[in-house]
Amino acid sequence: MKKLFFVFGAIALMCVACKSDEQKLEEKVESYLSQMTLEEKTGIIHAQSKFSSAGVPRLGIPELWTDDGPHGVRPETMWDAWTAAGQTNDSVTVYPSLTCLAATWNRDMADLYGRSVGAEARYRGKDVLLGPGVNIMRTPLCGRNFEYMGEDPYLAGEICAPYIRGVQSNGVAACVKHYCLNNQEFKRHNVNVTIDDRALYEIYLPAFEKAVKEGHVWSVMGSYNLYKGVHCCHNDITINKILKGEWGFDGALISDWGGVHNTDEAIANGTDLEFGTGTNGVDTNVENAYDYYYLARPYLNKLRSGEVDQTQLDDKCRRVLRLMLRTGMNGKEYYGSMNSPQHSADALAIAREGIVLLKNDNAVLPVSADARKIVVLGENAIKPMAVGGSSSSLKARYELSPLEGIKAAFPDAEVVYERAYQGEPTIKGYNYSLYDLTDPRTPEQMLADALAAVQDADYVIFFGGLNKAKYQDCEGRDRQDYALPYGQDTVVEALAAVRSDLVYVNVSGSPVAMPWIDKVPAALQAWYLGSETGNAIADVLAGKVNPSGKLPFTFPVSLGDCPIRTELQYPGIAPEEEKGIWEQEYTEGIYVGYRWYEAQNIKPLFAFGHGLSYTTFEYGEAKLSSKRFHGNGVTVSVSVTNTGKVAGAEVVQVYVSDLEASVDRPVKELKGFAKVYLEPGQTKTVKVELDKRAFSFFDAARHEWVAEDGDFDILVGAASDDIRTSVRLTL
């Protein structure tokens, strides 16, 4: 009998041991929830400071701490105000912008990025890193394009998922944002988006869906805008029906700061954690400002009066507790690290791989090691870029400028710098002036000095573009023009007239107009590259690194070429009352980015997926694992050979074209890619898997993804406008 009891006891212990981590987590959630009072439950679902929410000290539940990302961990602010806390230990490694990460077309780089920035967040004691951003670049004018991952939903999803997993490997939750349809900054709190379901599901939701289903993201941030007349931080359709219903998201829906507007909607429509609403915590409701949040005392009063029951409250608390137990309460020892040599190396690796060689006529680049005199021009060669852009503004421990990088890369050359144009005279961050870039010269004198300096130079390199100032790449404000600011076009035209070998380096997170591009033989897209900016750019210019980045969005020739052509499309129709709702319709539907330009036969300045190399690649014939698709997936394979003299990497892009469909479909759509590294003369076979979704469109009437029988062309190439080989598949 004792032996039998021992056997049953052992089995019971084994059953406990074999419980999954998720089962154990859910048991803990229910245990904590069962012990919490009504006041404690409502206390954990809204902010207690600018960036934290309360815990339950009685039960050992700690506070939840969030901080802005996604390019690094934001410096500390005061408890109740946006003012900098003035700490001396919150300078961080600054990583490249997410447009740069997307330009790597490298899932491993996305994982590295997430693990590295997540370690810095863990070291700083953060539970939630507010990023990544995956909103689609609908217009080049959107002020936050630099924080996102381009114009294509497949690419954005493939890059964001490993980034999320990397961040969360540190016990820090990623918070994918801004869900959803937040594709402009102008009137972002008041614009009501009207969009058909097909465009919503095919273009604007897939990256979020992949973040949930493949990234297994622990939190999602609602957006400011409205959809179908309801704000997206408490929208029944997008949150309850799609995010939590169709996709099975079990984490917490966090409001954007000040994104909640109504207690009843927040209760019913899925808001789990309210931040930043209507107070700075000091000037208003000084008794306890945070008690007046929509999900605080107003919600508690409704619960006490019986106007609402605890069903929704318990669901919100479960989700917040789940978030806490996955982060600060997970019981694992995550120490993190900050500003380590490894993090600098990570930032440098990502920056190098994201730089895009746009043009290189006559092999002007790379710069010869024998160069005697290099003239560097432009404000962006010296301007710090970590500061600026609003919420993603960072306090860098160091930030190497392009000028510093070039001087270090060419120690034997005379490196001369000329400003050439005046942009922002001072740079402000954290409520005090950080840099004074005032130049007493007139624009005419600066240009004259620049022209004089380049006469006898071996190389002339101009750094232009945008700079994260207001109305450029910056949260809260859209760009007002597609042209380069500060008269840069005039400067480039003048330089190109005297130097036919001019190298142009564009620093931006969005496409810009380049009316002079035919006169400039070499151009790089350099993004905002973070702490290692100077080293990354210099390594590519010098040929130490062979550029392998590809554009994650299209560069149109002009704004008039873009799909957004009416006021109703953008910025929306103004209401009669000052603070009313702006109405906006996405009448372009699924035709965003390259889908639009190809459908309209409009030749862009630089196409989606474009990016050159210092070597050349030859593609073999595309082949399929089966010429007929029966629903289990198909493998596309192609051989790629490095036919040049230097090692390099190529991004093999796979597009799908539906030859005959019952609905209007794009000319082609990106459905797969792989990056391959090759030594000179080396050949490798690249394989890309395509599933049923790759051939499907969203049928709004049936509310499901549909893949119709028929023939499809599988197009394989180096860019959307550079298809090298194709093969036909029958579904």
Side-chain angles (χ1 to χ4, degrees):
M1 190 68 176
K2 288 182 179 180
K3 183 181 290 186
L4 188 62
F5 178 80
F6 176 80
V7 170
F8 281 128
I11 293 173
L13 287 172
M14 289 173 61
C15 289
V16 171
C18 70
K19 285 183 180 179
S20 70
D21 289 342
E22 288 302 306
Q23 286 177 314
K24 295 175 184 176
L25 182 145
E26 292 305 318
E27 288 178 358
K28 290 179 181 177
V29 167
E30 295 303 322
S31 176
Y32 280 118
L33 186 65
S34 67
Q35 299 176 69
M36 293 171 66
T37 66
L38 196 61
E39 290 75 16
E40 288 168 342
K41 288 179 180 180
T42 55
I44 69 168
I45 63 172
H46 65 84
Q48 64 167 2
S49 74
K50 278 298 180 190
F51 282 98
S52 72
S53 59
V56 185
R58 180 179 67 85
L59 298 177
I61 299 174
E63 300 166 331
L64 184 78
W65 281 90
T66 72
D67 210 340
D68 275 315
H71 310 133
V73 187
R74 183 175 178 156
E76 302 299 330
T77 63
M78 300 296 284
W79 183 269
D80 288 318
W82 293 113
T83 310
Q87 294 184 4
T88 58
N89 62 348
D90 57 355
S91 298
V92 296
T93 303
V94 180
Y95 297 84
S97 64
L98 289 190
T99 44
C100 175
L101 176 61
T104 69
W105 291 61
N106 188 332
R107 299 171 182 87
D108 291 337
M109 277 292 163
D111 174 73
L112 174 68
Y113 194 132
R115 284 188 287 111
S116 193
V117 72
E120 299 229 342
R122 179 73 284 152
Y123 185 85
R124 289 270 301 280
K126 308 304 179 185
D127 300 303
V128 181
L129 184 69
L130 302 174
V134 296
N135 294 97
I136 295 298
M137 196 192 87
R138 180 173 176 253
T139 169
L141 300 183
C142 176
R144 295 185 89 167
N145 283 335
F146 74 101
E147 290 188 51
Y148 302 143
M149 298 186 182
E151 70 187 25
D152 183 77
Y154 179 81
L155 175 61
E158 288 295 299
I159 297 299
C160 84
Y163 174 105
I164 289 165
R165 293 193 296 267
V167 169
Q168 294 182 169
S169 69
N170 294 279
V172 174
C175 184
V176 68
K177 62 185 186 183
H178 305 89
Y179 182 74
C180 56
L181 299 170
N182 187 171
N183 307 116
Q184 68 187 61
E185 291 300 285
F186 180 78
K187 297 296 179 183
R188 59 181 177 167
H189 293 272
N190 302 86
V191 64
N192 179 45
V193 174
T194 297
I195 183 174
D196 66 80
D197 280 359
R198 185 180 171 200
L200 177 68
Y201 274 82
E202 289 191 20
I203 303 297
Y204 299 101
L205 292 185
F208 290 103
E209 181 183 8
K210 195 155 287 189
V212 171
K213 292 183 176 180
E214 296 184 19
H216 306 292
V217 71
W218 295 337
S219 61
V220 173
M221 182 187 291
S223 60
Y224 283 131
N225 54 283
L226 299 88
Y227 167 63
K228 293 195 173 182
V230 181
H231 282 94
C232 287
C233 281
H234 37 77
N235 190 295
D236 181 56
I237 296 173
T238 59
I239 299 174
N240 289 339
K241 290 184 171 61
I242 299 175
L243 178 67
K244 297 179 179 180
E246 294 175 19
W247 300 344
F249 174 64
D250 69 352
L253 189 286
I254 300 175
S255 78
D256 205 340
W257 270 231
V260 176
H261 301 268
N262 180 286
T263 295
D264 290 333
E265 289 182 2
I267 293 170
N269 294 349
T271 312
D272 298 314
L273 190 49
E274 179 188 2
F275 271 100
T277 298
T279 177
N280 63 12
V282 176
D283 299 328
T284 308
N285 304 324
V286 292
E287 175 191 346
N288 186 347
Y290 299 97
D291 279 348
Y292 292 85
Y293 274 33
Y294 291 103
L295 288 180
R297 186 174 295 174
Y299 189 10
L300 183 59
N301 290 339
K302 287 177 178 288
L303 289 160
R304 285 171 171 168
S305 68
E307 184 178 342
V308 295
D309 62 29
Q310 290 193 49
T311 303
Q312 290 99 337
L313 175 64
D314 285 350
D315 180 67
K316 297 177 193 300
C317 288
R318 285 188 179 96
R319 292 174 180 274
V320 174
L321 287 168
R322 202 174 284 134
L323 178 60
M324 291 173 168
L325 286 162
R326 285 169 170 165
T327 55
M329 296 176 67
N330 63 19
K332 299 178 182 178
E333 293 183 343
Y334 296 103
Y335 296 106
S337 57
M338 189 169 75
N339 293 321
S340 67
Q342 183 59 55
H343 289 182
S344 294
D346 296 343
L348 177 60
I350 298 160
R352 285 168 164 174
E353 195 157 327
I355 293 173
V356 181
L357 180 59
L358 296 173
K359 187 177 181 182
N360 194 25
D361 294 351
N362 305 318
V364 171
L365 293 174
V367 174
S368 171
D370 298 327
R372 294 174 293 104
K373 182 180 179 180
I374 302 171
V375 176
V376 178
L377 304 158
E379 183 176 280
N380 280 357
I382 62 169
K383 183 184 182 300
M385 295 291 183
V387 172
S390 194
S391 68
S392 64
S393 181
L394 297 167
K395 187 195 290 187
R397 183 172 68 88
Y398 71 93
E399 183 178 1
L400 293 172
S401 72
L403 179 61
E404 291 172 310
I406 290 171
K407 285 181 176 179
F410 299 95
D412 298 328
E414 178 189 7
V415 179
V416 176
Y417 174 71
E418 280 292 340
R419 181 74 165 266
Y421 71 91
Q422 171 80 61
E424 301 298 318
T426 59
I427 304 169
K428 295 182 179 180
Y430 320 116
N431 301 305
Y432 56 92
S433 180
L434 292 179
Y435 303 97
D436 186 350
L437 298 178
T438 305
D439 195 307
R441 294 174 293 175
T442 64
E444 294 75 16
Q445 186 60 53
M446 281 193 283
L447 178 55
D449 291 345
L451 292 172
V454 304
Q455 296 300 321
D456 60 344
D458 295 319
Y459 288 89
V460 179
I461 307 171
F462 179 87
F463 286 83
L466 308 179
N467 64 12
K468 294 173 74 177
K470 294 178 180 179
Y471 302 107
Q472 294 193 34
D473 282 327
C474 182
E475 181 198 3
R477 296 170 177 84
D478 285 344
R479 293 164 62 189
Q480 296 177 317
D481 200 331
Y482 187 50
L484 291 174
Y486 314 124
Q488 291 179 67
D489 288 337
T490 300
V491 176
V492 176
E493 290 274 6
L495 290 168
V498 299
R499 294 298 305 226
S500 61
D501 57 353
L502 177 65
V503 176
Y504 175 75
V505 180
N506 190 65
V507 178
S508 75
S510 305
V512 298
M514 299 181 182
W516 32 259
I517 193 63
D518 290 340
K519 304 171 186 176
V520 175
L524 287 177
Q525 176 62 29
W527 317 109
Y528 305 112
L529 297 179
S531 292
E532 288 287 329
T533 292
N535 286 335
I537 293 174
D539 286 346
V540 170
L541 290 173
K544 180 180 178 180
V545 170
N546 191 350
S548 63
K550 300 279 188 173
L551 291 177
F553 50 66
T554 306
F555 269 71
V557 173
S558 68
L559 202 59
D561 288 346
C562 296
I564 312 303
R565 298 187 168 195
T566 70
E567 185 180 358
L568 182 60
Q569 287 177 296
Y570 176 86
I573 302 298
E576 293 183 4
E577 63 275 21
E578 183 180 352
K579 295 184 179 181
I581 301 301
W582 286 60
E583 295 297 334
Q584 184 178 65
E585 293 185 13
Y586 285 29
T587 54
E588 72 280 2
I590 61 173
Y591 288 99
V592 177
Y594 67 92
R595 291 167 171 80
W596 164 263
Y597 300 106
E598 292 184 344
Q600 298 296 317
N601 199 26
I602 297 173
K603 182 176 175 58
L605 187 66
F606 298 109
F608 172 79
H610 171 77
L612 305 178
S613 171
Y614 293 150
T615 190
T616 52
F617 300 98
E618 183 177 291
Y619 286 59
E621 182 181 348
K623 299 178 181 179
L624 297 175
S625 57
S626 173
K627 288 293 184 74
R628 300 186 70 84
F629 182 92
H630 298 288
N632 296 321
V634 65
T635 302
V636 185
S637 60
V638 62
S639 64
V640 182
T641 302
N642 183 344
T643 55
K645 298 180 179 180
V646 296
E650 173 69 325
V651 178
V652 177
Q653 302 166 38
V654 178
Y655 297 84
V656 171
S657 177
D658 192 345
L659 299 182
E660 185 176 355
S662 63
V663 297
D664 188 27
R665 299 198 70 176
V667 175
K668 58 178 175 287
E669 296 179 278
L670 180 73
K671 296 299 178 182
F673 65 86
K675 196 162 195 174
V676 58
Y677 295 83
L678 298 166
E679 295 294 325
Q682 185 180 18
T683 299
K684 289 184 181 179
T685 298
V686 175
K687 295 183 178 181
V688 174
E689 302 290 330
L690 299 177
D691 59 12
K692 186 177 179 181
R693 181 76 169 260
F695 304 95
S696 302
F697 63 88
F698 188 79
D699 188 320
R702 295 162 59 178
H703 199 78
E704 64 182 15
W705 289 91
V706 174
E708 295 179 327
D709 290 351
D711 291 338
F712 294 79
D713 275 347
I714 312 301
L715 310 170
V716 182
S720 61
D721 67 344
D722 186 11
I723 301 302
R724 304 290 183 87
T725 179
S726 65
V727 61
R728 187 156 294 178
L729 172 75
T730 299
L731 191 69

